[in-house]
Amino acid sequence: MTSRMDARFAQLKQEGRSAFVTFVMGGDPDPETSLAIVKALPQAGADIIEIGMPFTDPMADGPSIQAAGLRALKAGMTLRKTLQLVRSFRDSDADTPIVLMGYYNPIYIYGVDRFLDDAKTAGVDGLIIVDLPPEEDTELCIPALKAGLNFIRLATPTTDDKRLPAVLANTSGFVYYVSITGITGAAAADSSAVGAAVARIKRHTALPVCVGFGIRTPETARAIAAHADGAVVGTALVDALRASLDAEDRATAKTVSAIADLAAALAQGVRGAQQAAE
């Protein structure tokens, strides 16, 4: 059976455009509002949704996403509730691929087998686990693939041709290319450098290559999408959410629309890349 991820990329290829991939933190600023945000993203133009699993000690996240994780944890978000968020989303959306992104520690504590069973049942399509290198594939990657979940690996500007085959060995769904050397939100992506990097990765794999880190505006999203199979935006959306909160970091009437409106503008940017190429 074709996975949701494969089906979505096949659809996008047929439409001749790149994917718009959004990242939001699960449970930020509270579980109820978070669900409303995730439900609004496909309507705003998101093709794939990454949901962060809140963790106290993230290593790849900049201040904005770190703060989002802490807001979520303060609001009572847990890994179990993150899976429930996906389950609730699936009540009204059976097609949009969902990827959980985060770190291994919460999964290890939850229990790998239990987590994979619950994730699959909830409707999760893939995992991005930042701190598990290929050398640790037996920990989670191989079991996840056996459970029918995509395991999406990160490649970076420092991943050379010698290292790349190991990174790609058990990768599925798509390859996530990190456009900058640094944490999320630290710098702007350079579209010309990204084009060369994506071409190099594609010489090693037939998987789609999506690019993230450093994409904040529709213009940057358009420039990146012209070179890649997808553009991933996280920090800009998280910042828009933060700006909509009250002084106590609680959701307001503007919170969901703040995310949806920015997502819609970014989605137009991604789609504009194909229009410009035609």
Side-chain angles (χ1 to χ4, degrees), residues 39-64:
K39 285 184 173 181
L41 286 171
Q43 299 168 35
D47 298 301
I48 298 167
I49 300 172
E50 296 175 3
I51 298 176
M53 298 177 283
F55 180 48
T56 51
D57 299 280
M59 67 169 64
D61 298 320
S64 294

Side-chain angles (χ1 to χ4, degrees), residues 212-227:
F213 286 49
I215 303 173
R216 301 186 64 92
T217 66
E219 291 74 24
T220 309
R222 181 182 297 113
I224 295 298
H227 296 288

Side-chain angles (χ1 to χ4, degrees), residues 237-262:
L237 294 170
V238 171
D239 284 345
L241 184 153
R242 172 65 187 92
S244 77
L245 304 179
D246 67 16
E248 304 299 322
D249 281 343
R250 293 174 301 202
T252 66
K254 301 176 181 177
T255 297
V256 176
S257 61
I259 306 295
D261 291 349
L262 177 56

Side-chain angles (χ1 to χ4, degrees), residues 177-249:
Y177 179 68
V178 176
S179 67
I180 60 172
T181 50
I183 53 176
T184 57
D190 180 344
S191 60
S192 59
V194 164
V198 169
R200 182 171 67 87
I201 293 168
K202 282 182 168 290
R203 289 197 289 270
H204 292 264
T205 181
L207 289 170
V209 180
C210 296
V211 176
F213 286 49
I215 303 173
R216 301 186 64 92
T217 66
E219 291 74 24
T220 309
R222 181 182 297 113
I224 295 298
H227 296 288
D229 300 300
V232 187
V233 181
T235 297
L237 294 170
V238 171
D239 284 345
L241 184 153
R242 172 65 187 92
S244 77
L245 304 179
D246 67 16
E248 304 299 322
D249 281 343

Side-chain angles (χ1 to χ4, degrees), residues 37-103:
I37 289 168
V38 175
K39 285 184 173 181
L41 286 171
Q43 299 168 35
D47 298 301
I48 298 167
I49 300 172
E50 296 175 3
I51 298 176
M53 298 177 283
F55 180 48
T56 51
D57 299 280
M59 67 169 64
D61 298 320
S64 294
I65 294 177
Q66 285 186 39
L70 293 176
R71 284 193 299 269
L73 292 169
K74 185 178 178 182
M77 199 62 173
T78 63
L79 186 50
R80 182 183 62 80
K81 289 181 180 178
T82 303
L83 294 172
Q84 180 56 51
L85 171 68
V86 178
R87 193 175 293 111
S88 298
F89 173 79
R90 286 284 173 234
D91 289 342
S92 57
D93 189 317
D95 300 319
T96 304
I98 294 285
V99 176
L100 295 185
M101 184 171 186
Y103 301 86

Side-chain angles (χ1 to χ4, degrees), residues 23-48:
F23 170 92
V24 291
M25 183 62 67
D28 179 29
D30 62 76
E32 183 180 353
T33 305
S34 183
L35 175 59
I37 289 168
V38 175
K39 285 184 173 181
L41 286 171
Q43 299 168 35
D47 298 301
I48 298 167

Side-chain angles (χ1 to χ4, degrees), residues 123-214:
V124 173
D125 299 288
L127 303 173
I128 300 173
I129 309 301
V130 177
D131 55 348
L132 276 182
E135 288 75 14
E136 305 296 337
D137 273 359
T138 55
E139 285 283 332
L140 181 65
C141 174
I142 301 301
L145 295 174
K146 288 180 179 177
L149 294 170
N150 292 126
F151 201 86
I152 298 152
R153 194 90 68 185
L154 302 176
T156 74
T158 58
T159 307
D160 60 20
D161 286 330
K162 185 178 179 181
R163 178 64 173 169
L164 199 52
V167 170
L168 297 172
N170 292 310
T171 298
S172 66
F174 64 89
V175 180
Y176 189 134
Y177 179 68
V178 176
S179 67
I180 60 172
T181 50
I183 53 176
T184 57
D190 180 344
S191 60
S192 59
V194 164
V198 169
R200 182 171 67 87
I201 293 168
K202 282 182 168 290
R203 289 197 289 270
H204 292 264
T205 181
L207 289 170
V209 180
C210 296
V211 176
F213 286 49

